[in-house]
Amino acid sequence: DTAVSQTPKYLVTQMGNDKSIKCEQNLGHDTMYWYKQDSKKFLKIMFSYNNKELIINETVPNRFSPKSPDKAHLNLHINSLELGDSAVYFCASSWVRNSAGTGELFFGEGSRLTVL
Amino acid sequence: DAKTTQPTSMDCAEGRAANLPCNHSTISGNEYVYWYRQIHSQGPQYIIHGLKNNETNEMASLIITEDRKSSTLILPHATLRDTAVYYCIVPQGGKLIFGQGTELSVKP
């Protein structure tokens, strides 16, 4: 069983469209994340949810809207897609942050978004 | 919050130990050091973390200097499948911030 699964794995779309990426984890974790990895391979945290509540929101355009219907799911919706949104988006999950800072994060395999 | 510096790239012969260094000279007393790796086209994978003491698990060993200003990740018997980018991270504000990491190439 895949611990953190994302769909779709590949997404090609036109500028201006709206698209969603879904993420599900079956590890019973409390916290979920979205990371973006651009063409230069830098991994940047975008959002973090703990028990369906937003706890980290980096300086991400408000065209990006995460939604967590329950603690096992964290979906990412992107409005009015732009060329610069092309990247690989990784979902991750972990136990609630403890004294160690973040705990161990489990990452999904990524969703490669290409905006034409 | 502590930041880390790592060499951009390293080579290692298959079967030999790979020693990946990391400097975190501004780390504070209660901050942990985490190591992750990312194999090409896959999501990052947790390897190990530590605070003060050296740590070992089935994947690697982590050696932290006494002053905690640097650490070394050791893959005792590197294989071709260990070729990846290795990230040394000190969480900042409870967040894992990935830097450029060290690109390790294990060669036959």
Side-chain angles (χ1 to χ4, degrees):
Chain A
D1 282 345
T2 304
V4 181
S5 59
Q6 302 178 221
T7 54
K9 288 190 176 181
Y10 299 96
L11 186 54
V12 181
T13 188
Q14 299 287 331
M15 267 196 314
N17 285 349
D18 303 338
K19 292 294 178 186
S20 293
I21 306 171
K22 296 185 177 181
C23 179
E24 176 182 5
Q25 55 95 2
N26 62 6
L27 298 167
H29 287 161
D30 300 280
T31 308
M32 295 185 73
Y33 310 78
W34 278 109
Y35 278 79
K36 177 182 179 181
Q37 188 166 40
D38 59 24
S39 57
K40 295 182 180 178
K41 303 297 185 183
F42 284 108
L43 265 165
K44 297 179 182 176
I45 188 168
M46 301 172 69
F47 301 103
S48 173
Y49 271 72
N50 177 249
N51 280 321
K52 303 192 296 178
E53 295 210 12
L54 181 66
I55 54 172
I56 294 174
N57 185 351
E58 295 296 287
T59 51
V60 177
N62 56 16
R63 298 183 295 103
F64 290 78
S65 53
K67 285 191 171 47
S68 182
D70 55 61
K71 72 174 191 177
H73 296 84
L74 180 62
N75 303 322
L76 183 66
H77 188 76
I78 315 171
N79 289 328
S80 303
L81 279 157
E82 300 178 356
L83 293 177
D85 298 332
S86 294
V88 181
Y89 292 85
F90 288 99
C91 177
S93 71
S94 72
W95 295 112
V96 66
R97 289 178 295 165
N98 55 25
S99 59
T102 67
E104 173 186 347
L105 265 64
F106 289 78
F107 283 82
E109 293 186 356
S111 297
R112 182 177 292 277
L113 171 65
T114 302
V115 182
L116 302 176
Chain B
D1 287 334
K3 289 186 171 55
T4 63
T5 55
Q6 301 175 250
T8 304
S9 63
M10 292 181 65
D11 289 343
C12 178
E14 188 179 18
R16 304 297 294 268
N19 298 295
L20 292 97
C22 178
N23 286 325
H24 31 79
S25 57
T26 59
I27 196 170
S28 63
N30 62 349
E31 290 180 320
Y32 282 70
V33 180
Y34 281 79
W35 283 83
Y36 281 75
R37 73 179 183 184
Q38 186 174 24
I39 295 170
H40 182 61
S41 297
Q42 296 183 20
Q45 177 189 22
Y46 166 83
I47 301 173
I48 200 167
H49 74 279
L51 181 63
K52 294 181 183 177
N53 298 323
N54 298 338
E55 302 287 345
T56 295
N57 63 21
E58 65 278 3
M59 289 184 69
S61 294
L62 176 61
I63 308 298
I64 303 174
T65 57
E66 195 168 337
D67 64 8
R68 303 211 323 120
K69 293 184 177 182
S70 65
S71 60
T72 301
L73 180 76
I74 301 173
L75 308 178
H77 304 287
T79 71
L80 299 179
R81 288 176 294 181
D82 292 321
T83 292
V85 179
Y86 287 78
Y87 298 96
C88 168
I89 305 169
V90 176
Q92 299 176 37
K95 296 177 286 190
L96 282 183
I97 308 295
F98 287 78
Q100 69 174 19
T102 296
E103 189 163 1
L104 175 68
S105 295
V106 181
K107 299 181 184 298

